[in-house]
Amino acid sequence: VAPGSRRLLLLLLGILGVLALGDPGPLEDVVIDRYYIPKICLREAQMGDFIRYHYNGTFKDGKKFDSSYDRGATVAGVVGVGRLITGMDRGLQGMCVNERRHLIVPPHLGYGSIGVAGLIPPDATLYFDVVMLDIWNKNDKLQVTTLSKPERCNRTVENSDFVRYHYNGTLLDGTPFDSSYSKGSTYDTYVGTGWLIKGMDQGLLGMCAGEKRSIIIPPFLAYGEKGYGTVIPPQASLVFSVLLVDFHNPKDGVFLEHLEVPESCKRRAVTGDFVRYHYNGTLMDGTLFDSSYSRNQTYNTYIGKGYIIPGMDQGLQGVCVGEQRRVVVPPHLAYGENGAGDKIPGSAVLIFDVHIIDFHNPADPVEIETVFRPEGCNITTRNRDFVRYHYNCSLLDGTRLFSSHDYEKPQEVTLGTNKVIEGLNSGLLDMCVGERRVLIIPPHLGHGESGARGVPGSAVLRFEVELISMEEGVPEGYLFIWHGEPPANLYEQMDLNKDGGIPADEFSTFIKTQVAEGKGRLMPSSDPEKVIADMFQNQDRNQDGKITAEELKLKSDEDQEKIHEEL
């Protein structure tokens, strides 16, 4: 500052100092002290704006002549158009919401030389302490701010949709008046049908499930001049912080999203099929309400027959084994307005992420695929044949269950003797030695609803089988059959030392000779000695260790005697 300028500045300060010490004289205009200005000021009150404010009015000596607080109601009106005393009209302009001001209004800008009878004397200077609560204009529109939005949004809210949302409701100055969170449940209603104030009807449009918005609603799109009860004053702007939890339309059907479909899908599930699947069930906001994985057990059911909610009955139609599918179910096809338990709210949209493990139909036969069949195959397996075979057994999702390769020898069984599950027995029939097959066995021909050790209930099984060897069997009930007619003097031939009794060693030697000479065959078994021992036991009727002529009878003769006795 130049030396001359410094002297001028000191002179002005001196004059101001003298004035400050003396009587300043009458005020020409309103004195405004903005003693609290909020950090955020979205708008300032201007001429023609509607405002709401609280105030205390006092005289210079501090005596109160009026207070909106004492009346328990804010003041609402238009600023700058002569409806207020001129000093207030001027003093309120430029204020922000939540700003606080001290105003000193000289008489000529207040009630002048007349005053207000019994309340304000003539030529009174008025002191006001004011806090601005609300500012709006009849030209205002809804103010919508998106606070957060999910990455995926397949659809947004439209008129006639039913929405479920959480909200905090405040006045423009931040005073809370209502909250869904405090009630512990969402607000559920239709959009665009008159159930909501106009501002919310408009403010919810275009929202995604999971989106958060701030919606500022002017009074003429809210509760207007009447307000609402004791919590929303007349002419109040409302601020809603909204989280859209979910929404649907009563006309909605099931929405399907095919997440992963196997390249090979020979068959798709239809009504009447029995499906085993894993699932995670969530609400639209991602809240998990149920999961089969947590129980470590598939969900097993018929589809299309009303055993599950209609949306899942529809949503599982056409699935492939191994498919992963998302099924979005509106509430009218799920648990409706009442919900279910404490985890599924009323009117909730449900999302099921399903993984199909397998499915079958109770009428399904064994599915046989021949992988390899040797040329020139004339002899094939029949029931009662003794077979040796290798196998690998798994579920349709590839889970390995059992394998004969884990043991030293192939599996052995006499077909048709109920020693293996029915489906495997069927799949081993009409095979050639060296043939390889893949068998798909439905549970009613496998281990049924209960399953078995290591096999889940109602599981479809996949067997890879290879026939290693086979021996021709004998009819049911027989341990040995003759290839031709038995000798007429059978007992004499058996009694090798002609002593009138046939001990076990003589019996065994005779039978082995017949087999070796091709005159007959034993029931095939991995232990022919045991078969011969059983034959001997059957003939030694008095269990004295030898067979007499009276005890020896052919099986065919025994059968004839049995028929005769029954007759």
Side-chain angles (χ1 to χ4, degrees):
V1 180
S5 300
R6 188 179 293 114
R7 282 198 300 274
L8 180 60
L9 184 59
L10 290 170
L11 181 62
L12 286 170
L13 288 172
I15 293 168
L16 288 170
V18 171
L19 288 172
L21 292 172
D23 186 357
L27 295 171
E28 293 184 7
D29 204 347
V30 179
V31 176
I32 299 172
D33 176 14
R34 304 179 72 183
Y35 71 90
Y36 175 74
I37 303 173
K39 291 180 180 179
I40 298 174
C41 182
L42 299 177
R43 71 193 285 178
E44 298 177 348
Q46 297 178 6
M47 192 178 294
D49 282 346
F50 285 82
I51 58 172
R52 275 194 323 107
Y53 59 95
H54 261 311
Y55 72 91
N56 281 318
T58 63
F59 299 120
K60 187 174 182 179
D61 62 1
K63 182 181 178 183
K64 185 161 53 175
F65 64 82
D66 193 13
S67 172
S68 62
Y69 296 98
D70 293 347
R71 292 194 299 275
T74 53
V75 179
V78 181
V79 68
V81 294
R83 295 182 185 177
L84 303 169
I85 60 173
T86 305
M88 281 294 274
D89 254 350
R90 293 182 184 179
L92 294 172
Q93 290 194 42
M95 282 190 83
C96 306
V97 171
N98 284 327
E99 182 178 342
R100 294 176 179 270
R101 287 183 177 183
H102 285 305
L103 307 179
I104 304 174
V105 179
H108 66 282
L109 298 178
Y111 294 98
S113 57
I114 300 173
V116 177
L119 186 63
I120 297 173
D123 297 319
T125 299
L126 307 177
Y127 295 77
F128 292 94
D129 191 66
V130 182
V131 56
M132 184 62 68
L133 302 176
D134 200 342
I135 306 169
W136 57 278
N137 192 290
K138 61 184 179 181
N139 295 321
D140 283 352
K141 292 182 170 53
L142 205 65
Q143 294 180 54
V144 177
T145 306
T146 298
L147 304 176
S148 67
K149 199 170 185 176
E151 290 182 14
R152 295 186 64 204
C153 182
N154 295 328
R155 170 179 163 189
T156 60
V157 173
E158 299 176 5
N159 280 324
S160 81
D161 282 345
F162 189 88
V163 294
R164 295 198 311 117
Y165 62 93
H166 270 304
Y167 68 91
N168 286 318
T170 65
L171 304 179
L172 206 58
D173 67 340
T175 303
F177 63 81
D178 195 13
S179 172
S180 64
Y181 295 98
S182 64
K183 300 182 183 76
S185 63
T186 53
Y187 190 80
D188 307 344
T189 188
Y190 287 95
V191 174
T193 56
W195 291 101
L196 291 163
I197 57 175
K198 290 182 180 178
M200 280 299 275
D201 260 344
Q202 296 174 23
L204 293 169
L205 293 176
M207 284 191 84
C208 305
E211 183 176 340
K212 289 182 179 178
R213 279 185 179 180
S214 171
I215 305 172
I216 302 177
I217 305 175
F220 54 85
L221 294 176
Y223 294 100
E225 296 179 7
K226 294 183 178 180
Y228 187 82
T230 59
V231 291
I232 298 177
Q235 302 290 24
S237 302
L238 305 182
V239 180
F240 287 93
S241 177
V242 175
L243 167 62
L244 186 63
V245 174
D246 79 4
F247 69 97
H248 72 281
N249 195 285
K251 297 177 182 177
D252 284 348
V254 172
F255 175 77
L256 301 179
E257 191 175 346
H258 303 279
L259 303 177
E260 188 177 323
V261 182
E263 290 183 15
S264 172
C265 182
K266 295 179 180 177
R267 167 177 165 186
R268 295 178 179 273
V270 297
T271 291
D273 282 346
F274 190 86
V275 184
R276 293 196 316 124
Y277 60 95
H278 270 304
Y279 70 91
N280 284 321
T282 60
L283 305 179
M284 278 189 91
D285 64 357
T287 302
L288 184 74
F289 64 80
D290 193 17
S291 173
S292 64
Y293 295 100
S294 66
R295 295 187 290 274
N296 197 30
Q297 189 173 356
T298 55
Y299 191 82
N300 309 332
T301 187
Y302 289 96
I303 63 168
K305 303 184 79 171
Y307 290 107
I308 48 179
I309 57 173
M312 284 299 277
D313 256 347
Q314 296 175 26
L316 292 172
Q317 296 282 337
V319 292
C320 302
V321 171
E323 181 176 346
Q324 295 186 47
R325 177 182 284 194
R326 176 168 292 160
V327 184
V328 181
V329 184
H332 51 275
L333 295 175
Y335 295 100
E337 295 180 12
N338 297 323
D342 58 355
K343 292 192 175 181
I344 300 178
S347 301
V349 176
L350 306 183
I351 300 174
F352 292 91
D353 285 315
V354 300
H355 180 204
I356 307 302
I357 303 302
D358 66 28
F359 64 87
H360 72 281
N361 194 283
D364 283 349
V366 175
E367 184 183 321
I368 300 174
E369 179 189 352
T370 300
V371 177
F372 171 75
R373 189 175 177 105
E375 292 183 11
C377 169
N378 297 320
I379 301 173
T380 60
T381 52
R382 296 178 298 174
N383 275 328
R384 309 302 304 171
D385 286 351
F386 182 74
V387 298
R388 291 180 177 86
Y389 61 97
H390 270 305
Y391 72 91
N392 292 313
C393 175
S394 62
L395 302 179
L396 289 195
D397 66 353
T399 302
R400 182 180 182 275
L401 297 181
F402 313 107
S403 174
S404 62
H405 297 283
D406 294 339
Y407 304 96
E408 292 181 7
K409 298 179 180 179
Q411 190 79 1
E412 298 177 340
V413 71
T414 299
L415 297 176
T417 57
N418 298 317
K419 299 297 184 184
V420 293
I421 55 174
E422 186 178 343
L424 180 57
N425 195 93
S426 299
L428 289 169
L429 294 176
D430 195 33
M431 283 190 83
C432 305
V433 171
E435 184 173 342
R436 296 195 302 275
R437 288 179 174 179
V438 172
L439 314 176
I440 306 297
I441 301 176
H444 54 274
L445 299 175
H447 292 286
E449 292 181 19
S450 303
R453 188 176 179 183
V455 180
S458 300
V460 179
L461 302 179
R462 183 182 190 274
F463 277 87
E464 297 172 352
V465 295
E466 178 182 6
L467 188 64
I468 304 302
S469 67
M470 60 175 287
E471 296 176 40
E472 189 178 0
V474 297
E476 187 174 357
Y478 285 76
L479 297 175
F480 174 89
I481 60 169
W482 297 96
H483 289 158
E485 287 294 321
N489 54 348
L490 178 59
Y491 188 83
E492 287 77 5
Q493 288 196 28
M494 271 191 190
D495 185 9
L496 300 177
N497 61 5
K498 310 302 180 189
D499 64 351
I502 304 170
D505 57 341
E506 272 188 0
F507 182 83
S508 177
T509 300
F510 176 79
I511 294 297
K512 287 178 181 177
T513 302
Q514 307 310 304
V515 171
E517 294 175 357
K519 295 178 180 177
R521 68 175 184 273
L522 286 167
M523 181 186 82
S525 168
S526 56
D527 188 0
E529 295 289 350
K530 184 177 184 307
V531 176
I532 294 172
D534 288 344
M535 289 175 66
F536 181 81
Q537 289 290 327
N538 290 344
Q539 295 297 324
D540 182 13
R541 301 176 191 275
N542 63 4
Q543 303 299 302
D544 63 352
K546 61 183 179 181
I547 301 170
T548 63
E550 290 74 25
E551 288 176 323
L552 183 66
K553 290 181 181 175
L554 293 174
K555 179 76 168 62
S556 55
D557 295 336
E558 284 184 356
D559 291 344
Q560 286 298 320
E561 286 180 11
K562 203 171 287 182
I563 292 169
H564 181 73
E565 286 171 7
E566 288 171 359
L567 290 173

